[in-house]
Amino acid sequence: MVDGFLVPATAEPLITCTLNGSAESQERDIGGAWLPRRIRRGDIFVTGSKTPYEVRWRSIETLAELAELSPFHFSRVFKQTTGMTPLQFEIQERMLQARNERTE
């Protein structure tokens, strides 16, 4: 379902803690080489970027499996965390991407 998205530049750091399971994703500077990331339970990340960057992964089923959750529970936790369902998030990101492509 979610293929990836553009992470906007931010002055504030983003703090992430993995509570359960593991995941594999890839990230890159826009137009750069993809860098694989393996995230495990207990990992803590503090990130911030003055420039946008891209992140991608596979379907919600894959994400749920990597997080060791059912797709239903993953979707519920995703909504609690982001305020939107994975589908709403994907639609928002695709709309932002389309807007960015129109203005380029």
Side-chain angles (χ1 to χ4, degrees):
M1 180 181 290
V2 177
D3 295 326
F5 63 96
L6 184 65
V7 178
T10 179
E12 299 294 323
L14 172 65
I15 300 171
T16 306
C17 178
T18 307
L19 299 176
N20 191 17
S22 63
E24 291 182 20
S25 66
Q26 295 179 336
E27 62 182 57
R28 70 177 180 177
D29 292 331
I30 297 174
W34 287 104
L35 302 171
R37 300 282 184 225
R38 176 90 174 139
I39 304 164
R40 294 183 176 90
R41 181 180 180 194
D43 286 351
I44 297 175
F45 296 92
V46 178
T47 61
S49 178
K50 293 181 181 178
T51 59
Y53 63 95
E54 296 175 280
V55 176
R56 70 180 182 186
W57 60 85
R58 293 203 176 114
S59 71
I60 190 171
E61 289 79 13
T62 301
L63 291 172
E65 183 179 309
L66 290 169
E68 299 177 3
L69 299 171
S70 69
F72 172 80
H73 189 66
F74 178 84
S75 294
R76 195 175 87 191
V77 170
F78 189 95
K79 185 170 183 175
Q80 288 173 341
T81 304
T82 65
M84 59 186 103
T85 67
L87 181 57
Q88 289 169 329
F89 182 83
E90 179 183 10
I91 291 168
Q92 173 186 303
E93 291 306 314
R94 287 185 182 200
M95 289 174 55
L96 289 171
Q97 183 178 10
R99 281 187 206 138
N100 290 336
E101 289 172 0
R102 283 184 53 201
T103 59
E104 293 175 357

